[in-house]
Structure formats: structure tokens, C-alpha cells
């Protein structure tokens, strides 16, 4: 006689099979490609950690490929498989703090389109107010002040490239969450996000001028370089640099961009 299955019993059995399958898959090793990617990322992170330790504890001049590889637990060849040169390692570490700082908070889906520009503006302000902001910004400054004047010039360029990448990722996220944005609305959002991210560079520069790190009679650095033509570590005002001391300048920059907040 054929066995009859009640609906509740069938669903219970089906759920149990799914749970067993999920448990089985969780015990399976990740695909080899995932393992390689994880190892590569772990090595890259070890190189960045080692570079920061050497520069902060021993000075920029102490950074050599041999001691960097030794401290990172890898080979010199591996270092240069991940980075073009030693300057690139240090600059990548500095700007990684800025990227992590701006990754928070997220802009949720479901906000009315009319309120979206305000939410974007608030996202940038809250990026410098969330619990980890002080620590991340301190890391950004701690390593920045160890750089030579020449490297600070390169850092300015890396900051602008990093901000452009943050802008691109945020726009992609918003376009995915708000598919109802029309073409003109989407362009307005992209422009606003780009202007807010770029304003961070000008806010930092404004703060350095305000705090006296530059000759007040000197002309501002061109926008395409954001050059810091001084050695911050040798500057007697270096102790005044902090997120608290520069936050008003960052918000000053956001306020100027907000004057052109789009209406959607």
C-alpha cells in the first residue's frame, strides 16, 4: 500500500533535507579559487601592516623591500607582485584608512527620491561622526605625518584617486537601490556624490591652511595635485592635527557643496 504523506509532514521533511544540505555545504572546503584569493588578500594585508609598522616605528628611510618582506612573512618577489614599488605600499595603506572611514554609514533603500540628496549629504557628515571615525582618521594622520614632502605630493594624488573610487562605488550602490531614478535625476545624483567626495580633499587642505601648516601668503595648491609641500612630522604644529581639529573644515566643505543640492 502506498504511503500517504500529510502536507505538514512533507514540508517538515523537506526543511530537514535543506538543513542537512546546508550543514554539509558549510563543512565543505571553499573552492580553490576562493582559497587563492583569500591567501592573496591575507598576504597583501600583511605587507600593508608591516609597512605601517616600519614607517611609524623606524621611519620612512628604514623601509626596504628586504625588511618589509621579512616582517610580512613573505618574499620580496611577493611584495612586488602586489605593489608597483615601496611608495605604492605606503600610499595604499594611508588611503585605505580613508576608504574604510567613508564606507560607513550605508544609505538604505526606501528613502523618497525627494529626500535622497539630503540622505547623501548626511551620509558624508556621519562618516566623520561614527564610533570608529576617530581611530581611522588617527591612523590616516599617523602615517601621513611620517611621509616626506615629495611623498605627500604623491599622497595628494592618491587621495583624489581614492575619493573618485569611493564616489564611483557609492553611485553604483545608489543606482542599484533606486532604479526608479530617471536619466536626468541619475546625473544629478552622480554629480552631487562626486562633489561631496571631492570636497573632502579641499576641506583637509582648508584645515591645513587654517592651522598654519602653510605660508598664508602662498598660493593654494592646484586642484589636480592637492600637494602638501611641507614635512608634517617636522612641523611644530603637528600635534594639533586630529579629526576634531579638521572636522569643522570638512563640514565647511560639505556646506558649500550643499548649497547646490539637487532637487529630485
Amino acid at each position: 500500500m502506498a504511503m500517504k504523506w500529510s502536507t505538514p509532514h512533507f514540508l517538515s521533511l523537506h526543511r530537514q533535507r535543506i538543513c542537512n544540505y546546508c550543514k554539509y555545504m558549510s563543512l565543505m572546503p571553499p573552492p580553490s579559487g576562493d582559497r587563492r584569493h583569500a591567501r592573496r588578500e591575507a598576504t597583501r594585508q600583511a605587507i600593508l601592516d608591516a609597512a605601517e609598522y616600519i614607517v611609524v616605528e623606524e621611519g620612512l628611510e628604514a623601509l626596504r623591500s628586504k625588511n618589509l618582506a621579512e616582517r610580512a612573512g613573505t618574499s620580496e618577489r611577493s611584495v612586488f607582485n602586489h605593489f608597483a614599488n615601496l611608495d605604492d605600499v605606503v600610499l595604499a595603506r594611508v588611503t585605505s584608512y580613508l576608504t574604510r572611514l567613508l564606507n560607513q554609514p550605508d544609505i538604505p533603500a526606501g528613502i523618497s527620491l525627494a529626500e535622497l540628496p539630503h540622505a547623501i549629504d548626511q551620509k558624508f557628515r556621519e562618516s566623520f561622526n561614527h564610533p570608529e571615525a576617530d581611530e581611522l582618521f588617527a591612523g590616516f594622520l599617523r602615517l601621513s605625518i611620517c611621509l616626506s614632502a615629495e611623498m605627500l605630493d604623491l599622497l595628494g594624488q592618491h587621495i583624489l584617486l581614492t575619493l573618485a573610487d569611493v564616489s564611483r562605488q557609492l553611485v553604483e550602490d545608489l543606482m542599484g537601490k533606486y532604479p526608479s531614478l530617471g536619466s536626468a535625476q541619475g546625473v544629478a545624483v552622480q554629480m552631487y556624490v562626486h562633489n561631496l567626495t571631492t570636497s573632502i580633499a579641499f576641506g583637509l587642505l582648508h584645515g591645513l591652511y587654517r592651522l598654519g601648516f602653510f605660508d598664508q601668503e602662498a598660493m593654494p595648491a592646484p586642484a589636480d595635485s592637492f600637494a602638501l609641500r611641507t614635512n608634517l612630522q617636522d612641523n611644530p604644529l603637528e600635534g594639533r592635527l586630529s579629526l576634531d581639529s579638521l572636522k569643522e573644515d570638512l563640514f565647511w566643505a560639505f556646506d558649500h557643496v550643499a548649497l547646490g543640492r539637487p532637487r529630485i
Side-chain angles (χ1 to χ4, degrees):
M1 184 174 62
M3 183 177 295
K4 295 182 179 181
W5 296 90
S6 66
T7 299
H9 180 75
F10 175 78
L11 291 176
S12 176
L13 182 62
H14 185 61
R15 282 196 297 267
Q16 184 60 47
R17 286 175 175 172
I18 291 175
C19 290
N20 290 340
Y21 177 75
C22 291
K23 185 182 294 185
Y24 168 76
M25 291 302 295
S26 69
L27 297 175
M28 293 290 289
S32 58
D34 292 345
R35 291 199 299 272
R36 283 195 297 271
H37 177 74
R39 285 198 300 269
R40 181 175 177 82
E41 284 302 305
T43 300
R44 186 178 189 277
Q45 189 60 47
I47 294 169
L48 292 172
D49 291 344
E52 177 169 7
Y53 178 87
I54 293 170
V55 172
V56 171
E57 298 297 327
E58 303 174 24
L60 184 63
E61 66 282 353
L63 185 65
R64 298 288 186 271
S65 58
K66 182 177 181 180
N67 64 345
L68 175 59
E70 289 176 352
R71 180 155 195 92
T74 188
S75 65
E76 292 182 69
R77 178 179 179 180
S78 181
V79 169
F80 295 115
N81 282 340
H82 286 81
F83 300 96
N85 50 57
L86 295 179
D87 286 354
D88 193 36
V89 181
V90 179
L91 295 172
R93 180 61 166 195
V94 178
T95 53
S96 71
Y97 282 111
L98 195 57
T99 300
R100 289 162 58 195
L101 192 153
L102 293 171
N103 279 343
Q104 301 181 57
D106 192 24
I107 298 177
I111 298 172
S112 70
L113 295 187
E115 292 297 320
L116 185 56
H118 176 69
I120 294 170
D121 179 78
Q122 288 303 111
K123 178 263 185 302
F124 280 90
R125 295 172 190 271
E126 290 173 14
S127 290
F128 293 94
N129 280 328
H130 67 76
E132 296 179 13
D134 285 327
E135 182 181 349
L136 291 171
F137 200 78
F140 171 77
L141 290 176
R142 180 175 60 248
L143 196 49
S144 295
I145 64 175
C146 296
L147 306 184
S148 63
E150 294 76 15
M151 280 197 70
L152 284 170
D153 195 0
L154 290 174
L155 176 60
Q157 299 172 33
H158 272 250
I159 288 174
L160 288 177
L161 290 172
T162 298
L163 293 175
D165 190 52
V166 168
S167 174
R168 178 187 57 78
Q169 292 182 26
L170 179 54
V171 167
E172 288 179 358
D173 180 60
L174 289 172
M175 294 301 111
K177 290 177 178 176
Y178 294 90
S180 60
L181 283 168
S183 298
Q185 294 171 323
V187 170
V189 166
Q190 291 181 55
M191 182 174 66
Y192 194 49
V193 169
H194 173 76
N195 289 343
L196 282 168
T197 50
T198 304
S199 75
I200 293 171
F202 289 98
L204 292 173
L205 187 59
H206 183 271
L208 291 173
Y209 272 100
R210 181 179 60 80
L211 293 171
F213 280 83
F214 298 101
D215 179 359
Q216 295 300 310
E217 300 299 321
M219 290 295 290
D224 61 347
S225 69
F226 185 50
L228 305 180
R229 301 186 185 283
T230 181
N231 189 326
L232 297 180
Q233 195 171 35
D234 295 336
N235 195 303
L237 301 172
E238 176 263 317
R240 295 173 60 185
L241 279 178
S242 68
L243 179 55
D244 282 340
S245 66
L246 292 170
K247 192 180 293 185
E248 68 176 87
D249 302 283
L250 293 164
F251 284 20
W252 164 86
F254 294 153
D255 287 341
H256 276 69
V257 174
L259 293 174
R261 184 184 297 161
R263 295 182 180 180
I264 298 177

